């Protein structure tokens, strides 16, 4: 595995060589690298480090020479025309290049002489560069790259905010879609869609897949075409047209084996035969990453206008038109809705709902839920990189103190500041390049891990991968790191005393105050950055605990959920579908391991609720009203299966599903909003999307978080599932055995009823709740990992500074002990120096954390960004770790032998 990764990375590096070299010698060079890897890795970690330095040295030796030879041939031709001056310039350049190569070889030998230092610094930098490269790859693909459509910056989504009714946004209505499409000059094209699931049967096991009902203009708006066949045409998109279907590339390969003859064939979709007219290109999954089937929506432009906003919209702006200009035009259209569609948009509705329109770029709309979290994670790993650079800079300063005699000797032999700077920078570049190569390899693995553990629904996840842009960023970070810590050893150059430094005992001389301040400043900055990351991860951890403790309104433990779909071919009317669902519920309830079974159209958390116009009667003043309320459709047994709690009345029963005398269940929030201080039992409600009778409230339950854990419960009404005509229902099955033991029995019972009905959306309620928290868990995991790395780097930095201070002050400590100082006093002196640095860093870090609290506030839940308990805990952790890091050098200082210390001096 390691050899393959090394070969892949080296092939990427070969692009740095001239094309002639790649073609003639590329395979031989890769084989040499693989052989060298196999030979050296048998020595363990030391061999791997030796291989990395060998590879860097080989590239540093061969890469410039190959380009020099290429340039020489070019210069040779040019020199015949331009004379000896050009040739002399080439010779000077060649001489400088040779000098640089010599410096690289010297740097490699110097680093190999200090393997422990080199390995520690390289690993520290490689982890930081790898983390930054991996996270940048995700941010780049998700946030920075344009969408994979032509001129994607002109693609927009259009929605209707209704702040008077809901915090969310509505889609377009059928009438609004046709009005916008026919009259807008700002929009080049406009399409609408819905995304129901469908069941594929025939040619294998029945399968439920996500699908999209689209107008023909959706594909023309996106400017995409099928890989095979033809797109949905306007002739396909009219009521009564021949049924046709488009397949995704993935579904075509998986279910139909990539057979090109699928075009023109008929497949069974929801029990009806439909002609396959095309296969979309690989990677196209609009509007959801899981969409695999597209069918024409077939809206009737002459139908009666109704106030039903169920269609998502995507539009393409005319060239040169901005979103603000398009918004102004569409707002003017909306203001005329009352005149154009008086039966659907009354003046009272427009005023009460504050009906409006928004135009938003498709990219912004796609990534708006993850933008803040991804930027936070990228900023976090950037701070880790700064801490790693600070740590390596500290190591370099320690190493520079031991090389003072070498520097003095170089100076005595004529080396000036420029030559010394070049020497140190060459060494730091070799070290950083080694770390950068290893970091890119770690990023290659890290991207796969990020994708594997990314929360479900992360937009554009199928596009994420390591590419040349990420490698360029890794190169930039490598150069930055080398410049950051490579210049520190020369900060004392102006104070060098050649006579003292050339003595054998010069290595015991005390460092300058300037270097002491620099080292202390690096430690203070590390502590401050560590506190910043620990505070962010601590606040997010408190949010995670708050989410875990939220009262959901139901008990998710021991509940299995599964969706059953009754296709319209086998179950053509409402009565037959209802009989199928009731039969399935009864058969599942008879299983010995099942305690209760119920069904609902949209499952809690995962499915949410529908905002529907609802009539509410028997108000305290005796009147009635119409409000947009969260609506769900459930059956008898559902509330017991979900473990919901009754407040008043009873749960829904079979008798309540009879439309002759239907019953309904409402939540406590709805009861308190419409009948405060009264009993809601016996009051009447009804859904207004169809001509349905009034439903009597038979029970009030505790509030349920139907639309996610983060969203506070809203007034909700549960109508019987018999009210709408729905082709599928989600079943909640509460059992006494593990879920793995229940599923085979459920599958067996459903197959006995109808073998063509697939089991879809199989999940436990605990899993659904965990998936809803996945974004927070993912961000917390990355922040926590970065915080741990920061804490370790901070502790290492503190230990290094204090340990070096003790070694430099050993003679002073020996004198103090010889004059009668107690060991505890000496240890206290060292610890007090440590704690002064730590407390200063904590002060700076707290200020930085408070100044940046707006950044993390958007991802917090149930905790303030200035939470004092979190900051106190973080400060105590830092103080404890710092005290532990300073304890061992202090203990060593307290045990110094005065005689040995003075003799060494």
């Amino acid at each position: 595995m390691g050899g393959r990764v090394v070969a892949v990375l080296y092939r990427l590096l070969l692009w740095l060589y001239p094309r002639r070299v790649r073609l003639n010698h590329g395979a031989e060079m890769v084989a040499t690298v693989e052989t060298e890897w196999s030979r050296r890795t048998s020595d363990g970690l030391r061999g791997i480090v030796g291989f990395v330095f060998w590879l860097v040295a080989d590239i540093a030796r061969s890469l410039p020479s190959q380009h020099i030879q290429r340039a020489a041939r070019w210069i040779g031709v040019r020199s015949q025309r331009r004379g000896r001056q050009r040739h002399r310039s080439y010779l000077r350049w060649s001489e400088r290049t040779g000098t640089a190569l010599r410096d690289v070889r010297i740097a490699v030998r110097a680093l190999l002489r200090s393997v422990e230092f080199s390995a520690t610094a390289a690993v520290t930098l490689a982890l930081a560069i790898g983390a930054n490269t991996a996270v940048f790859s995700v941010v780049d693909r998700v946030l920075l790259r344009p969408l994979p459509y032509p001129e994607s910056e002109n693609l927009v989504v259009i929605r209707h905010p209704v702040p008077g009714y809901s915090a969310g946004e509505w889609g377009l209505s059928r009438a609004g879609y046709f009005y916008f499409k026919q009259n807008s000059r700002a929009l080049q094209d406009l399409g609408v869609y819905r995304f129901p699931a469908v069941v594929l049967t025939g040619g294998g096991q029945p399968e439920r897949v996500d699908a999209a009902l689209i107008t023909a203009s959706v594909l023309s708006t996106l400017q995409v075409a099928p890989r095979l066949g033809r797109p949905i045409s306007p002739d396909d998109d009219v009521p009564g047209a021949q049924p046709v279907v488009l397949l995704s590339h993935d579904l075509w390969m998986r279910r139909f084996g990539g057979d090109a003859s699928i075009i023109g064939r008929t497949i069974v979709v929801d029990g009806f035969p439909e002609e396959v007219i095309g296969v979309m290109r690989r990677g196209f999954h609009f509007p959801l990453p899981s969409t695999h089937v597209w069918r024409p929506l077939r809206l009737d432009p002459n139908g009666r206008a109704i106030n039903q906003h169920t269609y998502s919209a995507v539009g393409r702006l005319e060239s040169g038109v901005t979103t603000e200009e398009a918004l102004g035009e569409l707002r003017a259209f909306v203001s005329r809705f009352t005149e154009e569609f008086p039966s659907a948009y009354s003046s009272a509705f427009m005023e009460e709902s504050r009906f409006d329109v928004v135009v938003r770029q498709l990219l912004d709309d796609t990534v708006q839920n993850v933008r803040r979290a991804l930027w936070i994670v990228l900023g976090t790993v950037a701070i880790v990189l700064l801490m790693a650079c600070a740590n390596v800079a500290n190591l370099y300063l320690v190493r520079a103190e031991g090389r003072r005699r070498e520097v003095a000797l170089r100076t005595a032999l004529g080396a000036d500041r420029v030559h010394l700077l070049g020497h140190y920078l060459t060494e730091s570049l070799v070290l950083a390049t080694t770390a950068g190569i290893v970091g890119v390899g770690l990023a290659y693995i890290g991207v796969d891990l990020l994708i594997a553990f990314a929360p479900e629904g992360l937009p554009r996840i199928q596009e994420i991968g390591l590419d040349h842009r990420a490698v360029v960023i890794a190169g930039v970070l490598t150069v930055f790191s080398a410049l950051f810590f490579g210049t520190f050893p020369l900060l004392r150059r102006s104070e060098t005393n050649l006579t003292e430094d050339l003595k054998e005992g010069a290595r015991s001389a005390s460092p300058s105050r300037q270097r002491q301040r620099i080292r202390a400043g690096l430690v203070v900055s590390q502590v401050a950055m560590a506190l910043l990351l620990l505070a962010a991860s601590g606040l997010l951890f408190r949010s995670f605990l708050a989410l875990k403790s939220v009262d959901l309104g139901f008990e998710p433990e021991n509940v299995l959920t599964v969706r059953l779909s009754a296709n319209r071919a086998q179950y053509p009317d409402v009565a037959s579908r209802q009989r199928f669902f009731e039969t399935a519920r009864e058969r599942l309830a008879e299983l010995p391991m099942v305690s209760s079974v119920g069904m609902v159209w949209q499952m809690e958390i995962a499915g949410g609720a529908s905002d529907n116009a609802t009539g509410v009667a028997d108000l305290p003043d005796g009147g009635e009203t119409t409000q947009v309320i969260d609506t769900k459709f459930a059956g008898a047994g559902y509330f017991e299966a979900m473990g919901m709690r009754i407040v008043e009345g009873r749960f829904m029963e079979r008798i309540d599903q009879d439309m002759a005398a239907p019953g309904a269940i409402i939540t406590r929030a709805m009861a308190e909003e419409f009948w405060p201080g009264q009993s809601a039992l016996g009051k009447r409600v009804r859904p207004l999307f169809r001509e349905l009778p009034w439903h009597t409230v038979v029970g009030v339950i505790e509030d349920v978080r139907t639309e996610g854990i983060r969203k506070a419960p809203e007034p909700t009404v549960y109508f019987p599932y018999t009210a709408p005509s729905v082709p599928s229902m989600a079943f909640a099955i509460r059992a006494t055995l593990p879920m793995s033991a229940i599923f085979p029995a459920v599958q067996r019972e459903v197959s006995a009823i109808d073998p063509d009905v697939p089991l879809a959306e199989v999940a436990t309620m605990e899993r659904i709740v965990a998936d809803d928290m996945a974004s927070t868990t993912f961000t917390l995991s990355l922040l926590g990992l970065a915080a741990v790395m920061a804490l370790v780097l901070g502790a290492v930095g503190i230990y290094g500074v204090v340990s070096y201070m003790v070694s430099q002050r050993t003679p002073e400590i020996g004198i103090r002990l010889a004059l009668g100082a107690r060991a505890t006093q000496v240890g206290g002196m060292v610890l007090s120096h440590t704690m002064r640095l730590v407390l200063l860093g904590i002060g700076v870090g707290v200020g930085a954390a408070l100044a940046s609290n707006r950044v993390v506030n958007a991802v917090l839940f149930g905790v303030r960004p200035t939470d004092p308990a979190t900051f106190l805990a973080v400060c105590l952790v830092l103080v404890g770790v710092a005290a532990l890091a300073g304890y061992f050098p202090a203990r060593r200082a307290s045990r110094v032998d005065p005689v040995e210390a003075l003799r060494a001096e």
Side-chain angles (χ1 to χ4, degrees), residues 468-503:
H468 68 282
R469 285 170 57 134
V471 175
V472 169
I473 288 297
V476 171
L477 295 178
T478 298
V479 174
F480 166 79
S481 303
L483 295 176
F484 185 95
F485 61 78
T487 54
F488 276 91
L490 288 180
L491 294 176
R492 180 186 169 272
R493 174 71 184 110
S494 60
E495 301 175 7
T496 299
N497 188 319
L498 293 181
T499 303
E500 292 296 326
D501 286 356
L502 285 170
K503 294 179 181 179

Side-chain angles (χ1 to χ4, degrees), residues 574 578 633-635 652-664 685-687 689-696 718-725:
V574 175
Q578 291 177 4
F633 301 92
M652 187 178 292
E653 298 177 355
R654 286 285 299 273
I655 191 174
D656 299 314
Q657 297 172 180
D658 187 353
M659 285 296 100
V685 293
R686 69 171 178 175
F689 57 86
R690 286 174 53 196
E691 294 295 330
L692 293 170
W694 286 100
H695 293 56
T696 303
Y718 290 79
F719 292 111
Y721 81 95
T722 50
S725 174

Side-chain angles (χ1 to χ4, degrees), residues 377-389:
V377 172
L378 183 61
T380 298
V381 294
I383 292 176
V384 171
L385 176 65
L386 291 177
M387 293 190 68
C389 289

Side-chain angles (χ1 to χ4, degrees), residues 120-142:
T120 302
V123 170
T124 301
L125 285 175
L127 289 173
I129 292 174
N132 277 269
T133 305
V135 174
F136 172 80
S137 298
V138 177
V139 172
D140 180 44
R141 293 284 187 162
V142 175

Side-chain angles (χ1 to χ4, degrees), residues 462-700:
Q462 69 276 6
E463 301 176 36
I464 296 175
L466 199 69
D467 62 2
H468 68 282
R469 285 170 57 134
V471 175
V472 169
I473 288 297
V476 171
L477 295 178
T478 298
V479 174
F480 166 79
S481 303
L483 295 176
F484 185 95
F485 61 78
T487 54
F488 276 91
L490 288 180
L491 294 176
R492 180 186 169 272
R493 174 71 184 110
S494 60
E495 301 175 7
T496 299
N497 188 319
L498 293 181
T499 303
E500 292 296 326
D501 286 356
L502 285 170
K503 294 179 181 179
E504 285 296 329
R507 58 183 177 270
S508 65
S510 299
S512 67
R513 290 186 177 181
Q514 182 185 12
R515 283 200 175 182
Q516 291 180 17
R517 286 195 295 269
I518 291 172
R519 290 172 61 80
L522 289 173
V523 170
V524 169
S525 64
Q526 282 184 296
V527 173
M529 289 186 285
L531 186 139
L532 187 63
L533 296 188
L534 285 170
S537 59
L539 290 170
L540 202 59
F541 182 67
R542 291 285 305 276
S543 297
F544 179 78
L545 294 180
L547 285 171
K548 291 283 287 185
S549 62
V550 162
D551 182 8
L552 302 174
F554 58 88
E555 301 296 332
E557 296 81 9
N558 303 319
V559 176
L560 177 69
T561 67
V562 59
R563 180 170 291 276
L564 303 181
S565 301
N567 66 69
R568 298 180 186 274
Q570 292 177 271
Y571 306 95
D573 52 44
V574 175
S576 61
R577 288 194 289 274
Q578 291 177 4
R579 282 195 300 271
F580 167 76
F581 292 136
E582 285 296 336
T583 302
R585 189 185 74 84
E586 292 170 0
R587 291 282 293 267
L588 294 176
E590 292 173 358
L591 292 173
M593 71 285 289
V594 172
S595 57
S596 54
V597 179
M599 50 189 163
V600 69
W601 184 22
Q602 297 168 300
M603 185 57 66
E604 313 300 335
I605 304 293
S610 301
D611 291 333
N612 280 317
T614 304
V616 182
D618 304 322
L619 297 174
D621 60 2
E624 62 183 61
T625 184
T626 297
Q627 297 285 344
V628 175
I629 299 173
D630 281 356
T631 304
K632 296 179 74 70
F633 301 92
Y638 172 71
F639 304 92
E640 296 92 324
M642 291 295 293
M644 296 179 178
R645 301 186 297 276
I646 196 75
V647 174
E648 184 181 17
R650 59 175 174 81
F651 289 127
M652 187 178 292
E653 298 177 355
R654 286 285 299 273
I655 191 174
D656 299 314
Q657 297 172 180
D658 187 353
M659 285 296 100
I665 303 291
I666 65 173
T667 60
R668 181 196 290 269
M670 183 170 176
E672 292 176 350
E673 178 172 337
F674 292 102
W675 300 283
Q678 298 183 13
S679 172
L681 298 181
K683 303 300 190 289
R684 293 175 298 155
V685 293
R686 69 171 178 175
L688 298 180
F689 57 86
R690 286 174 53 196
E691 294 295 330
L692 293 170
W694 286 100
H695 293 56
T696 303
V697 175
V698 298
V700 179

